[in-house]
Amino acid sequence: MVDVTALQSAEPVIGRLVVVGLGLIGGSFAKGLRESGLCREVVGVDLDPQSRKLAVELGVVDRCEEDLAAACQGADVIQLAVPILAMEKLLGRLAAMDLGQAILTDVGSAKGNVVRAAAEAFGGMPPRFVPGHPIAGSEQSGVEASNSELFRRHKVILTPLDQTEPAALSVVDRLWRELGADVEHMQVERHDEVLAATSHLPHLLAFGLVDSLAKRNENLEIFRYAAGGFRDFTRIAGSDPVMWHDIFLANREAVLRTLDTFRSDLDALRDAVDAGDGHQLLGVFTRARVAREHFSKILARRAYVDAMNSNDLIFLAQPGGRLSGRIRVPGDKSISHRSIMLGSLAEGVTEVEGFLEGEDALATLQAFRDMGVVIEGPHHGRVTIHGVGLHGLKPAPGPIYLGNSGTSMRLLSGLLAAQDFDSTLTGDASLSKRPMNRVANPLREMGAVIETAAEGRPPMIIRGGNKLKGLTYTMPMASAQVKSCLLLAGLYAEGKTTVTEPAPTRDHTERMLRGFGYPVSIDGATASVESGNKLTATHIEVPGDISSSAFFLVAASIAEGSELVLEHVGINPTRTGVIDILRLMGADITLENQREVGGEPVADLRVRAAKLKGIEIPEELVPLAIDEFPVLFVAAACAQGRTVLTGAEELRVKESDRIQVMADGLLALGVKCEPTPDGIIIDGGQIGGGEVHGHGDHRIAMAFSVASLRASAPIRIHDCANVATSFPNFLALCAQVGIRVAQEAES
Ligand code: S3P
């Protein structure tokens, strides 16, 4: 009898478990549950006497029965682990028995055929039948290979139907979890589609390729030279032929669908080889390579991460330290985004150097790959973009996922509003909370058709095929993202698009458009573009990101005895607010070796420790230092006296509410501060140790790492994974210059 209410207890909760079919999967299931103590008795059934004998000897089951009816008498759960084509006959026999209240489940690799066979045998799908599929196995087979750990950290997919009893589902769910499996529920059809693509098709290709090569007369010659590629690709051709023959017959429809799609993709590759179309080949190969890297990461994380802590990457920062040395921070994020966008829209091949290989800029890169642009790299900051021209983008195959990156979403929305295809833009939890009406509304005025979720949040659905009209727009907020979005839309809009900003914001879009030979007129606070021109490929050298440098500017300022040089930092006047504010606070920062690189001013920044004092931050500097406030608040906490920030309400709609989140963290560290609607008041003094939260916001995590230099005890910073969005080697550079922050060892 199954005691569903006792499902959480350590006592046996199942009387009798019957496993029909003692192969690798059935045997491992039986053995694992027998060892768990969850079942009072585990009974095996198998046609083969040798398997039955071994199963008892090896402790896989308590006892075995030859006769199915005898075994199933009084069973609580019956697991069907026979080859998939034997399932129909087995179900027919079970249907003729009185199974009482027994729960049925199975392990078949295809689900549609099992469900059909069960419905036929029982005259309708039994409500106590829970179809299942463990995605696990090994080259070994037979009961002697039974391994109670086989399913640990492997996925098991259950495919309940509408009529499946929830209680039966939760029993089967519990059994698999007891074996350490990661259980997911899915619809039958979806399961069969997914498995056809990810498992069945690759097996078909592997068997097919080996056979095709082996048939040839010169096969011995060929195989003598078959090295890594052949070995890697065909490993799975060593799998059990009978089992696979069963699977293809069982999952025929889904396999045919995925095979047909693949066949037409293969034909396209054949045509490209035939036509000598290297561009097409490079496109397929570069896309495949990143996709493969992406999947590997997903798989690797799955292998090491326990669901409980998967999102909480913790930085542990030790108090004290002094900075010295010369470093180069990674490339500018804003410029990196724009290099991909404009390089893609240009005619010809654009080479980029110093590209930021952070997740945000990579999201933009991937978006353009998805829209058919061939992009090589990034490799050590080098990217080669084969531009498609202003009208060469193709629809992405699905929604474009932009992760944490507001810049990607806002700038892309302008560009996509003018295409002749529909696009959907989505993002992570943080991006999904950020306001998009600031771009959607003026774009609608230009004639764009855009849908958003409630209150203008992502996802954004951007309809194609709308002719845009030029707009004269005065922005209600100082936002380079809004300005850039509208200028990009303006490249396609009829007539002239003019954007006026209430205060100066970063002008990388305007500079880079000109760098690509596209005319932009600038008149004070107003920038305009007209459609009808083109972008011509160019060479871009991305300077170091002043926003990333800011952490070290503050760190070296507050840590006594420090002297540090930051090389090759972009010092575009629309970005240097952080230097101005720190200097007003008394910081010792000098600019050396000033030069211009590809239309952007660059310098080496030398910073020495200094006694900082609190100030009232001039409001006109706010947009020029908009991303640097989290770490400037740390400077203020170390300064003598009071620092007051006003006119910075924009900080509340960044990757987190940076006013509130920083105030919470500073208060937790014993710093006196008070958030206000548009800023904060901070009284400098002693920083203590403690626990703070990054809230998925890269700049918060890095700011509190810097705070440790003046803390009296360690600071533990939760939720730091997103540091990789803008500064993937932050911890390494910290270690190099003397900030003692590291990822907390996984327990
Ligand atoms: C950016 C502009 C800024 C900035 C963001 C990058 C850009 O946002 O905060 O990190 O690349 O244009 P707003 O323009 O919305 O202030």
Side-chain angles (χ1 to χ4, degrees):
M1 172 75 206
V2 178
D3 179 358
V4 180
T5 55
L7 279 179
Q8 300 309 319
S9 82
E11 286 291 294
V13 290
I14 285 167
R16 180 177 300 161
L17 167 70
V18 176
V19 178
V20 186
L22 295 170
L24 171 71
I25 300 289
S28 299
F29 183 81
K31 190 161 191 256
L33 285 171
R34 184 162 182 265
E35 288 172 8
S36 77
L38 209 67
C39 314
R40 221 162 268 132
E41 189 186 32
V42 179
V43 179
V45 186
D46 201 284
L47 292 176
D48 175 36
Q50 187 64 15
S51 295
R52 293 201 299 271
K53 185 164 167 280
L54 270 174
V56 177
E57 281 171 14
L58 297 171
V60 170
V61 294
D62 293 303
R63 62 185 174 85
C64 269
E65 290 283 351
E66 185 180 353
D67 180 53
L68 182 67
C72 292
Q73 192 120 62
D76 293 303
V77 177
I78 304 172
Q79 172 65 281
L80 311 180
V82 300
I84 196 152
L85 289 190
M87 204 66 91
E88 196 176 327
K89 210 163 129 206
L90 174 62
L91 286 164
R93 291 179 59 204
L94 288 166
M97 295 174 195
D98 176 9
L99 298 176
Q101 292 299 299
I103 295 168
L104 286 173
T105 183
D106 79 307
V107 296
S109 310
K111 301 278 36 107
N113 72 312
V114 174
V115 168
R116 271 193 304 276
E120 210 159 288
F122 287 86
M125 184 67 183
R128 301 187 133 242
F129 188 169
V130 182
H133 175 208
I135 305 183
S138 92
E139 310 74 57
Q140 297 166 311
S141 56
V143 70
E144 53 274 41
S146 298
N147 168 10
S148 51
E149 296 286 306
L150 185 68
F151 307 110
R152 186 159 298 283
R153 294 188 171 186
H154 279 268
K155 281 211 186 326
V156 170
I157 302 175
L158 301 181
T159 60
L161 292 108
D162 287 346
Q163 62 268 48
T164 308
E165 262 181 30
L169 179 60
S170 75
V171 170
V172 176
D173 201 288
R174 170 75 201 277
L175 294 180
W176 283 113
R177 284 184 203 280
E178 189 67 28
L179 300 177
D182 175 8
V183 184
E184 286 188 21
H185 298 180
M186 209 183 256
Q187 286 200 326
V188 170
E189 299 72 25
R190 173 97 185 117
H191 168 277
D192 287 356
E193 287 293 340
V194 168
L195 268 289
T198 57
S199 171
H200 306 171
L201 179 63
H203 277 84
L204 193 80
L205 299 181
F207 283 126
L209 178 70
V210 175
D211 183 53
S212 166
L213 294 184
K215 271 192 319 217
R216 297 188 194 170
N217 288 335
E218 76 281 25
N219 60 39
L220 263 184
E221 244 340 80
I222 287 183
F223 288 119
R224 245 209 319 235
Y225 300 107
F230 176 81
R231 205 176 39 228
D232 288 351
F233 185 80
T234 59
R235 181 182 59 81
I236 51 179
S239 306
D240 181 352
V242 177
M243 183 180 106
W244 280 97
H245 138 278
D246 284 14
I247 290 172
F248 284 105
L249 297 180
N251 199 22
R252 188 165 157 262
E253 283 85 18
V255 167
L256 285 178
R257 273 193 296 275
T258 191
L259 188 58
D260 286 347
T261 308
F262 180 72
R263 202 159 62 170
S264 70
D265 288 344
L266 194 61
D267 283 345
L269 272 177
R270 191 197 175 283
D271 291 348
V273 173
D274 187 21
D277 185 350
H279 185 257
Q280 166 77 2
L281 293 175
L282 199 58
V284 173
F285 299 165
T286 46
R287 283 198 304 275
R289 183 180 163 162
V290 279
R292 160 80 206 176
E293 277 164 15
H294 182 61
F295 301 147
S296 308
K297 261 195 229 155
I298 294 175
L299 293 172
R301 265 188 214 158
R302 187 57 222 109
Y304 300 114
V305 168
D306 275 326
M308 280 281 288
N309 300 318
S310 58
N311 293 325
D312 196 7
L313 187 79
I314 296 173
F315 282 3
L316 185 60
Q318 300 297 340
R322 187 173 67 85
L323 281 77
S324 62
R326 296 178 76 90
I327 54 169
R328 190 165 172 162
V329 299
D332 187 277
K333 184 152 76 77
S334 294
I335 298 176
S336 295
H337 281 298
R338 288 157 171 84
S339 70
I340 297 294
M341 296 180 187
L342 300 192
S344 295
L345 299 178
E347 291 174 20
V349 177
T350 290
E351 296 280 353
V352 184
E353 280 176 79
F355 179 80
L356 167 64
E357 295 183 37
E359 286 173 10
D360 278 10
L362 291 173
T364 293
L365 191 152
Q366 187 56 34
F368 281 88
R369 271 197 180 125
D370 287 348
M371 291 190 284
V373 182
V374 174
I375 304 176
E376 296 172 67
H379 183 64
H380 300 320
R382 249 193 118 82
V383 180
T384 305
I385 308 163
H386 298 255
V388 295
L390 276 166
H391 300 281
L393 294 179
K394 298 200 188 92
I400 299 177
Y401 178 71
L402 299 167
N404 195 248
S405 179
T407 309
S408 308
M409 190 171 286
R410 298 214 177 101
L411 270 58
L412 267 175
S413 66
L415 190 59
L416 294 176
Q419 304 301 319
D420 56 12
F421 51 82
D422 293 355
S423 309
T424 299
L425 305 181
T426 67
D428 70 3
S430 153
L431 183 53
S432 300
K433 286 189 215 138
R434 299 184 67 185
M436 293 298 148
N437 272 342
R438 56 179 57 200
V439 287
N441 285 339
L443 286 172
R444 286 176 186 130
E445 280 184 51
M446 295 175 81
V449 178
I450 298 176
E451 294 152 36
T452 65
E455 292 165 349
R457 315 275 174 219
M460 298 181 86
I461 300 172
I462 301 169
R463 301 287 171 203
N466 296 294
K467 192 86 206 87
L468 302 189
K469 284 198 292 292
L471 175 73
T472 299
Y473 189 68
T474 301
M475 291 190 293
M477 76 289 284
S479 168
Q481 293 184 352
V482 176
K483 173 177 66 176
S484 303
C485 162
L486 299 179
L487 293 177
L488 290 175
L491 303 182
Y492 297 86
E494 196 185 303
K496 190 169 172 179
T497 299
T498 298
V499 189
T500 302
E501 52 192 11
T505 68
R506 63 193 69 188
D507 62 357
H508 305 300
T509 304
E510 299 90 303
R511 284 176 189 253
M512 202 184 282
L513 277 170
R514 285 175 167 173
F516 275 91
Y518 203 102
V520 181
S521 64
I522 294 166
D523 179 11
T526 300
S528 317
V529 290
E530 271 181 74
S531 56
N533 297 292
K534 65 172 189 159
L535 289 95
T536 306
T538 184
H539 181 98
I540 294 175
E541 212 179 302
V542 182
D545 197 329
I546 190 165
S547 299
S548 298
S549 305
F551 299 102
F552 296 100
L553 292 178
V554 171
S557 296
I558 63 173
E560 212 179 312
S562 298
E563 176 162 357
L564 184 72
V565 177
L566 299 156
E567 293 173 345
H568 200 75
V569 179
I571 51 159
N572 180 314
T574 59
R575 297 286 297 281
T576 45
V578 61
I579 297 178
D580 300 335
I581 293 170
L582 281 172
R583 280 179 170 164
L584 288 173
M585 296 176 80
D588 178 358
I589 300 170
T590 46
L591 273 52
E592 298 173 357
N593 191 15
Q594 290 194 43
R595 58 219 181 264
E596 190 162 304
V597 176
E600 290 279 351
V602 169
D604 299 335
L605 309 183
R606 183 179 296 274
V607 52
R608 298 184 183 88
K611 289 238 169 309
L612 301 185
K613 60 177 194 297
I615 58 163
E616 286 191 15
I617 298 174
E619 284 198 11
E620 66 273 17
L621 291 180
V622 169
L624 309 181
I626 194 68
D627 290 336
E628 288 68 74
F629 283 106
V631 78
L632 282 170
F633 293 174
V634 171
C638 298
Q640 198 172 41
R642 173 169 283 194
T643 296
V644 181
L645 172 68
T646 54
E649 52 278 90
E650 276 293 301
L651 293 182
R652 292 201 178 269
V653 290
K654 292 294 178 186
E655 285 85 327
S656 68
D657 175 345
R658 287 182 174 161
I659 293 174
Q660 193 57 49
V661 164
M662 280 305 295
D664 292 346
L666 289 172
L667 286 168
L669 300 179
V671 176
K672 220 174 127 208
C673 64
E674 192 191 324
T676 61
D678 68 340
I680 194 165
I681 302 165
I682 300 173
D683 287 315
Q686 183 58 47
I687 301 181
E691 307 253 337
V692 296
H693 289 264
H695 287 274
D697 184 336
H698 53 140
R699 301 204 194 277
I700 305 292
M702 291 188 277
F704 283 119
S705 303
V706 169
S708 65
L709 288 160
R710 287 278 290 271
S712 56
I715 302 179
R716 268 183 104 222
I717 312 157
H718 291 269
D719 203 358
C720 294
N722 278 345
V723 166
T725 60
S726 69
F727 205 155
N729 61 339
F730 175 69
L731 291 179
L733 283 187
C734 282
Q736 192 181 327
V737 298
I739 307 177
R740 295 183 292 199
V741 58
Q743 191 178 324
E744 191 172 77
E746 278 172 49
S747 55

